[in-house]
Amino acid sequence: MGEAVQRRFLGLTAAVAALGMTATLSACGGDAASGDVTLKLVAADYGTGPENSSEKYWSGVASGFEKEHPGIKVDVTVLSWKDVDREVAAMVKDGNAPDIAQIGAYADYAKAGKLYTADETLAIRTAANFLPSLTDAGKVDGTLYGLPFVASTRLLFYNQQLFDQAGLDAPETWDDISSDAAALKAKGVDYPFALPLGQEEAQAETLMWLLSGGGGYTDDVGSYDIDSAENVATFRWLRDNLVGKGLTGPVAPGKLDRAKAFEAFTAGKVGMLNGHPTLMDEAEAKGVKVGMVPLPGADGPTKGSMGVADWMMGFKENGHRKEIGKFLDYAYSDENVLEFAEEYDLLPVTGSASAAMETDKKHKKLHEFLAALPNSSLPPFGKTSWATVSDAIKKNIGSAVAPGSNPESILGGIASEATQAEAAE
């Protein structure tokens, strides 16, 4: 967390504490709960197997909460990321919405009037503790519905051993990337720069490059700007200076999924790629010494980074507003936030937990990611059209870097789909 953000957070926290604002906003005008209530919680599984399943985490949180709040039970269901969004959507459609969901998207439910706002559920101290860059991405029409749960940022990763063997320094600019990749290719590296623009996660890889080129998915007022001059220039550079020169490896970027690129990196076959904290640990566990730098830009390191977040939300259907608020306040305690972040090498979403991680030497490897978070740019999660636009990017963006392609035409086609999706909201 940046010093300016930390000072603002600490000042606000002190002011809140001084005023003794410990009551929740949801208490305003709300009646006390009567009788036993069972909250239904559905969450995503971040684990890779039974030994680190998120089921253990949420069961522990639920147990601790129930001890502090007699009369409120929490029924926990944890589902894989492949299923959880679809399953929650089916529950909502069937009139059986959970009270709380921790999933990947919230905007459709907010637009349909199915979610409580943060003001209706959270204590002031909880709402004030979120990092502003994340809460901005959790809003629909200026109102916070999607509560950030965990976050991550991206840095450029490089294989330190391969760089040392080629006599290279860490890249700072796009020209550095191109020249370093050429040197790595000359040394026989399979993927000098792995560029995963396959359908698995192309929307994220794309945003990283757009930001480093001075563009993005939206303009300053939040309207889609996918085929901007900056974005077209970025993809022309990728086409001409990486893909066209054979520097992205044996698999065409449009066919290369992120999982395969990461697998190749941990096997020592990749010189450079854009990565996240989990990849860092996976690579080092397999003996790959990882170097990390901010995303290089056209003229120097990118000032901001791409951020990602998952979301927590409270559904109105069962009328458990007050109980939901109590649980969310408990779940967002520093102890719980840090426990989850530490388990999965992710970043906390609150100012106080971020400050604690920043000063803890055991998290030194995450400090660079943490420093990038306050100035990160997230995909436009608050747009209900984003799911459609994201899908269009996944399906088409890989062809924008193919030799002989026309990036302006391809980005223009995606932009047209974005306009239509916005109009249909």
Side-chain angles (χ1 to χ4, degrees):
M1 183 170 58
E3 291 183 4
V5 174
Q6 187 173 340
R7 285 196 299 270
R8 288 196 298 272
F9 161 74
L10 291 174
L12 178 57
T13 300
V16 170
L19 291 170
M21 291 180 173
T22 57
T24 64
L25 286 173
S26 62
C28 298
D31 295 328
S34 59
D36 289 344
V37 168
T38 297
L39 295 177
K40 183 177 180 181
L41 167 69
V42 178
D45 192 353
Y46 291 71
T48 56
E51 68 283 351
N52 69 342
S53 170
S54 299
E55 178 86 38
K56 294 180 180 179
Y57 170 82
W58 284 115
S59 294
V61 171
S63 178
F65 174 78
E66 290 170 355
K67 290 178 181 177
E68 292 190 15
H69 298 82
I72 306 177
K73 301 295 182 182
V74 183
D75 178 17
V76 174
T77 300
V78 174
L79 302 170
S80 76
W81 269 114
K82 294 181 180 179
D83 302 322
V84 66
D85 286 299
R86 183 182 68 252
E87 290 291 335
V88 169
M91 293 175 191
V92 174
K93 183 178 180 180
D94 293 342
N96 188 31
D99 294 287
I100 302 165
Q102 185 274 301
I103 52 178
Y106 66 88
D108 284 346
Y109 302 125
K111 281 281 190 179
K114 295 183 180 297
L115 301 182
Y116 289 118
T117 68
D119 285 351
E120 291 174 318
T121 55
L122 296 181
I124 294 174
R125 64 181 181 275
T126 304
N129 203 6
F130 290 123
L131 294 175
S133 61
L134 301 180
T135 53
D136 287 346
K139 293 177 179 178
V140 172
D141 298 331
T143 300
L144 181 61
Y145 291 93
L147 311 179
F149 177 62
V150 285
S152 182
T153 53
R154 299 292 186 264
L155 297 173
L156 183 134
F157 285 25
Y158 60 95
N159 184 313
Q160 185 69 66
Q161 183 178 0
L162 296 179
F163 265 61
D164 289 344
Q165 290 172 352
L168 301 173
D169 294 323
E172 295 184 356
T173 67
W174 285 357
D175 286 344
D176 292 341
I177 287 177
S178 182
S179 61
D180 289 352
L184 292 167
K185 182 180 180 181
K187 290 288 187 179
V189 176
D190 290 351
Y191 293 86
F193 194 104
L195 184 64
L197 293 175
Q199 291 195 30
E200 179 194 354
E201 197 73 7
Q203 83 288 355
E205 183 73 19
T206 296
L207 181 55
M208 285 181 262
W209 283 101
L210 298 186
L211 292 171
S212 67
Y217 285 135
T218 58
D219 59 21
D220 291 339
V221 296
S223 300
Y224 283 118
D225 198 23
I226 293 171
D227 59 346
S228 68
E230 293 85 356
N231 293 347
V232 171
T234 293
F235 271 81
R236 283 178 177 161
W237 187 89
L238 288 170
R239 179 196 64 187
D240 297 339
N241 294 279
L242 285 184
V243 183
K245 293 181 178 180
L247 301 177
T248 54
V251 181
K255 301 291 185 182
L256 181 64
D257 283 339
R258 186 183 66 172
K260 292 297 183 181
F262 283 9
E263 182 181 317
F265 185 78
T266 63
K269 298 179 180 180
V270 173
M272 295 172 278
L273 50 57
N274 294 322
H276 57 54
T278 303
L279 175 62
M280 171 184 62
D281 279 350
E282 291 174 351
E284 291 181 350
K286 293 192 175 182
V288 176
K289 187 177 180 182
V290 181
M292 297 180 294
V293 291
L295 303 179
D299 302 313
T302 305
K303 293 181 180 179
S305 175
M306 187 195 81
V308 294
D310 298 320
W311 308 99
M312 187 94 82
M313 62 212 71
F315 283 87
K316 293 179 176 180
E317 185 172 305
N318 300 316
H320 295 152
R321 177 173 62 89
K322 185 172 183 179
E323 293 83 4
I324 289 171
K326 288 181 178 180
F327 181 82
L328 292 174
D329 287 334
Y330 182 86
Y332 281 108
S333 69
D334 283 358
E335 179 183 0
N336 289 325
V337 170
L338 285 169
E339 181 184 345
F340 195 91
E342 290 169 1
E343 176 66 29
Y344 299 107
D345 288 322
L346 293 165
L347 303 179
V349 296
T350 62
S352 56
S354 294
M357 180 175 280
E358 189 176 41
T359 57
D360 192 335
K361 291 183 179 179
K362 75 177 180 180
H363 297 301
K364 184 177 180 180
K365 292 190 295 184
L366 292 174
H367 287 175
E368 287 188 67
F369 295 96
L370 198 61
L373 187 56
N375 297 317
S376 62
S377 297
L378 279 71
F381 291 115
K383 291 179 174 291
T384 56
S385 60
W386 172 239
T388 299
V389 176
S390 176
D391 190 54
I393 294 166
K394 291 178 181 180
K395 290 179 179 178
N396 298 293
I397 201 64
S399 59
V401 297
S405 66
N406 185 339
E408 186 171 9
S409 175
I410 293 165
L411 289 171
I414 297 171
S416 179
E417 287 196 51
T419 299
Q420 294 175 25
E422 277 283 271
E425 285 191 14

